[in-house]
Every structure is written in C-alpha cells, then in structure tokens.
Amino acid sequence: MNEHLRHALIQARLQPLDVATHLTVDPKTVTRWLAGRVPHPRHRLAVADLLHVDENDLWPESIRRRPGPPTEIKAVYPHRWAVPATIWRTFFEAAQTEIGILVYSGLFLAEDAGLLRILVGRARAGVRVRILLGDPDSPQVATRGADEGVGSDVMISRTRNALTLCRPLEDVEGIEIRLHGTILYNSIYRADNDLLVNLHAYGTRASDAPVVYITGNEPNSTAATYLDSFERVWDGAVPAAQNG
C-alpha cells in the first residue's frame, strides 16, 4: 500500500476515480498505484501536479530506482577554464602508455612550459605522445575562428603560435606532431583510457565551453567513441615537419 499517495488523496479530498478521470486512465490503474505499483514518470508528475505535492513525496522509492550518471563519467566542468591546472598536470603525469592531444591550437597548453616538460618526461619514460594541431593553412582553422567569434586571423595566428611552441618536442623520441584539416566538434585530451573532452559550441570560445572527464575503453562506450574519433583524425593528418 502506498500510504503517501493515500494520505495525499485524503488531504486533497479526491477519490481514485477523480484521479483516473483527470489523467484519462483506467480506475484500476489508480488502484494499482495505491496498492504499491510505481507509475510511469509522466503519470507520477501528473498526479503530483493534481495533488499539489512533490512527486518524490508520493514515490520516494523512485529516487533510488533512477539510474545515476554513467560510471565512465568522472566529472563535468562548465568551462575549460574551470578545470584546475593541477588536473591537467596530474592527468598527463598519470599516463603510462599513451598521451593524445587533438585540438586546433591548444595554445593554453603550448604556453605552459611546465606541462610541456611533463609531456617530454612521459615520452622519455616510454609513453607514446601524439599531438594533433590544426593546419594553419586549412580553411577549417579559419572557419573555427569565425565560429568562435574571435576572427579567422586570430585563430590562424594562435595555431601558428602553438605549432612554433611545440616544434622543439619533435626532437624528443616518442613524440609525434601532425597537422589536420578536420572539422572538430570537440577537442580531445587523452591519458591512456582517461579523456578530457572539451565540447565545442557555436559562437563560444573553447575556453568557455564545457569539459567532460571520461574514463574507459569498452566497446560502444562513450570513451571508445572519442578514442575512435582521435584515430580517424590521426590517420588523415600529415607530419608537422612537412609544414615548413
């Protein structure tokens, strides 16, 4: 027996038939709800509105039944700038086999000398480091600058600056840099099976867009989708050494 629902009906001075009529359901359905069956979400909300109570007061057990966020989602940051600097560093420092970076410019990383030293250190420890930067001569880079609202010239300049800052890494064994001309819907930062995915939003700078921290590599998982995307871009990119 759902005592919460029964008391709410008494307080509202309504009968099960009144609820059935209001929701256009069989009166037997309401009787089953009173007996303990939990309605579909749309009916729970409709009953709560009718009785002027909170849905969770009528079916508190429904809260426990609701699935939580997928376990592969470790964190969600509202903006890239909201990701603490310590997260970026510990994220890459923890890599044991693979580091991957897929961006247009990633200038905020390229300008961080400490983080670049971490990449070098991990490569010398045997970690494969792959960096994908946007080809500054590609129309996709210019378009992204316009879409972000910073201007095509600014994005092209940022990409060239990032490439210049990353050039010394090419001399480190285990680090590869390639240029791509792909339309990116997100930037991807990988440390083994952990991913920081910076979503792209039209009219919004990447630094202001959300970042999702994902883990895992199971088939058909969220992480696997982004890992596959990275590999596709990598396969179609060209070594940065070929670009002057």
Side-chain angles (χ1 to χ4, degrees):
M1 174 67 70
N2 187 332
E3 293 293 340
H4 303 288
L5 179 56
R6 187 174 71 84
H7 284 299
L9 284 172
I10 293 172
Q11 290 292 325
R13 298 182 179 180
L14 293 176
Q15 298 295 320
L17 181 59
D18 299 320
V19 177
T21 301
H22 184 82
L23 271 63
T24 318
V25 298
D26 192 305
K28 292 181 180 179
T29 299
V30 180
T31 301
R32 286 192 286 268
W33 295 344
L34 283 166
R37 178 173 294 183
V38 179
H40 292 298
R42 68 180 186 279
H43 287 148
R44 292 202 302 267
L45 183 59
V47 172
D49 285 344
L50 176 64
L51 301 179
H52 303 293
V53 296
D54 190 282
E55 172 191 343
N56 296 326
D57 292 337
L58 298 177
W59 293 281
E61 69 275 19
S62 68
I63 299 175
R64 295 190 294 270
R65 295 183 182 183
R66 291 174 183 169
T71 55
E72 61 181 335
I73 306 297
K74 298 179 68 172
V76 178
Y77 301 92
H79 314 286
R80 193 187 69 199
W81 55 259
V83 181
T86 53
I87 293 294
W88 289 105
R89 298 195 178 196
T90 57
F91 176 79
F92 289 118
E93 283 178 334
Q96 297 299 310
T97 58
E98 178 90 22
I99 287 176
I101 297 173
L102 170 58
V103 293
Y104 277 125
S105 73
L107 190 57
F108 77 104
L109 294 181
E111 290 179 332
D112 188 332
L115 198 143
L116 294 184
R117 283 195 292 270
I118 289 173
L119 297 182
V120 171
R122 297 318 299 151
R124 288 175 175 165
V127 176
R128 185 187 187 190
V129 179
R130 293 185 291 169
I131 302 173
L132 279 160
L133 299 175
D135 183 344
D137 296 324
S138 70
Q140 287 78 10
V141 169
T143 298
R144 178 57 188 167
D147 290 347
E148 280 195 3
V150 300
S152 300
D153 292 343
V154 171
M155 182 58 73
I156 292 172
S157 177
R158 288 172 61 86
T159 304
R160 291 192 188 280
N161 289 343
L163 180 57
T164 298
L165 291 170
C166 290
R167 283 287 190 193
L169 300 183
E170 292 184 291
D171 297 328
V172 180
E173 184 177 355
I175 297 182
E176 302 174 78
I177 301 176
R178 292 187 182 182
L179 302 182
H180 69 87
T182 308
I183 297 175
L184 294 185
Y185 302 101
N186 44 251
S187 299
I188 299 174
Y189 307 89
R190 174 186 184 182
D192 296 336
N193 293 326
D194 284 353
L195 300 172
L196 287 168
V197 180
N198 186 187
L199 308 179
H200 291 183
Y202 183 82
T204 301
R205 298 176 63 174
S207 59
D208 289 327
V211 170
V212 183
Y213 195 154
I214 305 169
T215 188
N217 65 344
E218 296 78 8
N220 301 318
S221 67
T222 302
T225 298
Y226 287 108
L227 291 173
D228 289 346
S229 176
F230 182 96
E231 295 300 334
R232 290 191 184 97
V233 178
W234 180 262
D235 290 342
V238 299
Q242 296 181 10
N243 185 282

